[in-house]
Amino acid sequence: MSLQIFPILFCLCALVSGRVLDTRETERRMHPLFSAGSAGSRLKRAMPMIVFDPLKAEEQYAEYWQGLAHQTLDQQLESKLRLNTQLAKNVMLFLGDGMSIPTLTAGRVYLGGEEKQFSFEQFPFVGLSKTYCANMQVADSACTATAYLGGVKANYGTVGVSAAVQVKDCLAQGQPAHHVASIAAWAQRQGMATGLITTTSVTHASPAGIYAHSANRNWENDAEVIADNGDPSLCTDIAAQLISNPVGQKLNVILGGGRQNFLPKSVRDVSGAPGRRLDGRNLIEEWKRQHTNSAHYVQTRSELLGLSNHTSRVLGLFAPYHMPYHLDADAEEHPTLEEMVQVAMGILERQSAGRGYFLFVEGGRIDHGHHDTLALRAIDETAEFDKSVRWARTHSSTDDTLIVVTSDHSHTMSLAGYSSRKNDIFGINNGQLAADDLPYATLSYANGPGYNSNYLREGGAVKRKNLRAINMKNKDFMFPSTVPLESETHGGDDVAVFASGPYAQLFTGVFEQHFIPHAMGYASCLSDRNMCVDGGMARRPR
C-alpha cells in the first residue's frame, strides 16, 4: 500500500471516532429540546426552563388540530373545484415593497399570534415569484416594477425600459423601441379608469413603473438628472413624465408623497419645504391646467376625504417626499393607506363608465423600515398595508374583481431561535443564550446599520451589547445585523403572490415575476384580445 494512503486513512478514522460523525451529539446540538424535564438535559447556555403553555386548552388534544385540518381541507376543495373564469372587469395590484415571507411570519405574531393571518393570506390561490433583474441576482424596486407592471425583465436601477437600456444611459432611454408599456397603459387603451397609490413619493421606483421610462430610478426631478451630468431636455425626469406622458395624464387617481419633485426651488410647499426643480416649472399647476374643474389637487387628509362625488381626477401629494411611517403620521394631516384606497375605488368606479378599472397600491415604507433595520416600523407598515387589502376585498366582488397581492423583492431579516409561543416578536429569544452568554434577538438582519447599534468595542475587542438593557420596543431601535452596512440590502429569495377573483388560479406555482401582468391582462382581456368579444367587455367561450 502506498505511504500516501496512510494520512488519508488516519483522517477518516479521526472523523469517524470524533465529533464530526457523532450523529447523536450532533442531533442534540442542532435540535435542542425544551421540555419540562430536568435542567441537566438542557444546553449549558440555555435560558431558564420554559413552560410551553398552549394558547387554548384544546390545543393539547389531537382532535383540535385534526378539526382545523378538516376545515382547511373543506375550504381548499370549495375554492379549487369551482374556478372563476369570468372576465375580470376590475383589477387591483397590491404591492408590499420588500414584504418578504419572514416579514409576513413576524407580522402574524404582531397581529396577535403565530396562528393569525393577514387578510390576503386567506386568498384561495398562492404562488411564488422569482424576482431577479435581467442583470442582477438580487433586485431593486425599479427593475422589478418593470417586471410586475410591464411584463419584461429589466436592468437594475432602470424602470419602464427594456434590458437594452443600461443604468444612466440617457440616449437609450429616449428611444421608444426600448420603452415598456405598463398594464395601466394597456387598461387605458381599452377605456378603463386607472390609478396609483403609494406611501412613498409618487415618483419613486415602484409607482414610476406605471407611467415612466427612465434609465435611472433616481431621476425623480430635473436636478437629479443634472447632478448625473445628464441633459433634462433629453432625459426627461420622472415627475415631468407623470405630468407630460400620456399614461400619467390619463390617470384618474394619483395619491402619495413627493411634492418637492413637482415644485421649483423658489416655491415652498404647505409644510414649508422647498421644491427641488431647477427648470422653474410648477408641475402641480401644470396638472391643474390640464384637467377640468372636476379634477382636484389635495394636500391633506381632510381635503382628500372631503372630495365630492363628482370628482373625475385627483392628485394628492401629502408630503414633501415620502409619506411618514404610520407610527409617526399626523392623523389630521396624513391619510392612511386604507383611506386612500377607499377614495380611489369610489372615483374609479364612477369614472369607469362600466368598463372597469385598474388600480396599483403600494405599501412602500415596509421596504424603508427594513433598510434601516427598523423591524418594528417595517412590520407595522405591513399591518397597515393589510388593512387596505382587506377593505378592497370586502368592498368588491370576487365575481368580477381580481385582486393580486405580492412583493417586489425580499429583505435579509430572519426569525431565529427557539422562542416559546406568545414570546414578544420584537424581544429576545427566550429559549437560549448565545455562545457569549448573552441573549439574542428573535429578529435580526444579515447586514445593515443595526451592527453598530448592537456591538461594543472594549480594549480592541468587539462584543455584543446586552439586549436585556435595551428597549427593543422603541420604534427607532435598529435590530442586530451581522455585517455592517450603511443600509441593509434586499434579499434574493422568492416572494409570495396571493390572488382572489377571476382567473386567480393563474397565480399558482413558481413563476418569473414578469409573468404577473400577463396573467392579469389575460384575466381582464387586456393582453389576449382574441379571447374577448364586445370590445373586451366579455370573454369568448374556450
Side-chain angles (χ1 to χ4, degrees), residues 230-451:
D231 183 349
S233 66
L234 298 176
C235 307
T236 306
D237 65 87
I238 293 172
Q241 290 190 50
L242 176 56
I243 302 303
S244 304
N245 283 5
V247 175
Q249 290 178 340
K250 293 177 182 176
L251 289 170
N252 298 89
V253 173
I254 305 167
L255 299 176
R259 287 189 296 253
Q260 64 182 14
N261 295 317
F262 296 84
L263 296 173
K265 290 187 68 175
S266 59
V267 174
R268 294 184 177 272
D269 71 2
V270 66
S271 71
R276 295 289 310 280
R277 303 196 65 81
L278 300 178
D279 57 9
R281 295 175 65 184
N282 186 324
L283 298 181
I284 295 172
E285 293 300 322
E286 291 185 26
W287 183 89
K288 292 179 182 179
R289 290 194 294 269
Q290 285 176 3
H291 302 294
T292 65
N293 291 334
S294 60
H296 299 283
Y297 170 64
V298 296
Q299 302 180 83
T300 66
R301 175 178 180 268
S302 59
E303 290 176 350
L304 177 70
L305 300 183
L307 289 173
S308 77
N309 289 338
H310 300 292
T311 301
S312 61
R313 299 181 193 277
V314 60
L315 171 63
L317 302 178
F318 306 104
Y321 195 36
H322 301 315
M323 293 181 66
Y325 287 106
H326 167 250
L327 292 175
D328 300 329
D330 181 341
E332 297 296 320
E333 292 294 316
H334 305 114
T336 65
L337 188 60
E338 180 182 17
E339 289 171 336
M340 290 192 284
V341 169
Q342 292 172 4
V343 173
M345 286 177 62
I347 293 173
L348 294 175
E349 184 66 43
R350 292 190 296 270
Q351 295 302 310
S352 66
R355 298 189 67 85
Y357 59 81
F358 171 78
L359 176 62
F360 173 69
V361 181
E362 182 196 24
R365 306 226 60 192
I366 301 169
D367 175 70
H368 297 168
H370 280 318
H371 277 303
D372 288 333
T373 64
L374 299 172
L376 175 56
R377 290 182 183 273
I379 292 169
D380 180 75
E381 290 294 309
T382 305
E384 286 299 301
F385 173 76
D386 178 59
K387 292 177 184 178
S388 69
V389 178
R390 183 187 302 275
W391 198 94
R393 186 68 288 175
T394 56
H395 289 80
S396 60
S397 171
T398 55
D399 292 337
D400 66 2
T401 301
L402 170 65
I403 296 182
V404 177
V405 179
T406 189
S407 178
D408 47 356
H409 53 73
S410 69
H411 273 274
T412 70
M413 188 194 78
S414 65
L415 289 78
Y418 303 103
S419 289
S420 61
R421 281 178 69 183
K422 307 181 189 177
N423 191 48
D424 184 358
I425 193 65
F426 301 114
I428 61 173
N429 181 293
N430 69 348
Q432 188 181 46
L433 292 176
D436 57 5
D437 290 324
L438 291 174
Y440 60 92
T442 300
L443 300 180
S444 62
Y445 291 84
N447 55 55
Y451 180 91

Side-chain angles (χ1 to χ4, degrees), residues 112-308:
E114 294 82 357
E115 74 286 354
K116 299 295 184 181
Q117 280 188 307
F118 289 110
S119 63
F120 51 84
E121 292 184 296
Q122 300 171 38
F123 285 6
F125 296 96
V126 183
L128 289 174
S129 165
K130 299 191 287 182
T131 63
Y132 62 92
C133 300
N135 64 340
M136 297 280 279
Q137 287 183 339
V138 178
D140 78 321
S141 293
C143 75
T144 53
T146 311
Y148 62 75
L149 289 170
V152 173
K153 291 255 185 189
N155 290 327
Y156 186 97
T158 69
V159 61
V161 292
S162 71
V165 178
Q166 299 297 322
V167 68
K168 297 186 180 182
D169 188 341
C170 179
L171 294 178
Q173 169 185 316
Q175 298 182 31
H178 298 157
H179 292 180
V180 174
S182 73
I183 188 172
W186 308 349
Q188 289 176 357
R189 287 198 291 264
Q190 302 306 321
M192 297 171 68
T194 52
L196 71 83
I197 302 170
T198 180
T199 52
T200 68
S201 169
V202 297
T203 55
H204 211 234
S206 302
I210 290 284
Y211 59 85
H213 311 286
S214 181
N216 188 342
R217 57 174 290 175
N218 294 325
W219 290 346
E220 296 183 59
N221 56 67
D222 66 321
E224 298 293 342
V225 179
I226 294 171
D228 271 342
N229 298 315
D231 183 349
S233 66
L234 298 176
C235 307
T236 306
D237 65 87
I238 293 172
Q241 290 190 50
L242 176 56
I243 302 303
S244 304
N245 283 5
V247 175
Q249 290 178 340
K250 293 177 182 176
L251 289 170
N252 298 89
V253 173
I254 305 167
L255 299 176
R259 287 189 296 253
Q260 64 182 14
N261 295 317
F262 296 84
L263 296 173
K265 290 187 68 175
S266 59
V267 174
R268 294 184 177 272
D269 71 2
V270 66
S271 71
R276 295 289 310 280
R277 303 196 65 81
L278 300 178
D279 57 9
R281 295 175 65 184
N282 186 324
L283 298 181
I284 295 172
E285 293 300 322
E286 291 185 26
W287 183 89
K288 292 179 182 179
R289 290 194 294 269
Q290 285 176 3
H291 302 294
T292 65
N293 291 334
S294 60
H296 299 283
Y297 170 64
V298 296
Q299 302 180 83
T300 66
R301 175 178 180 268
S302 59
E303 290 176 350
L304 177 70
L305 300 183
L307 289 173
S308 77

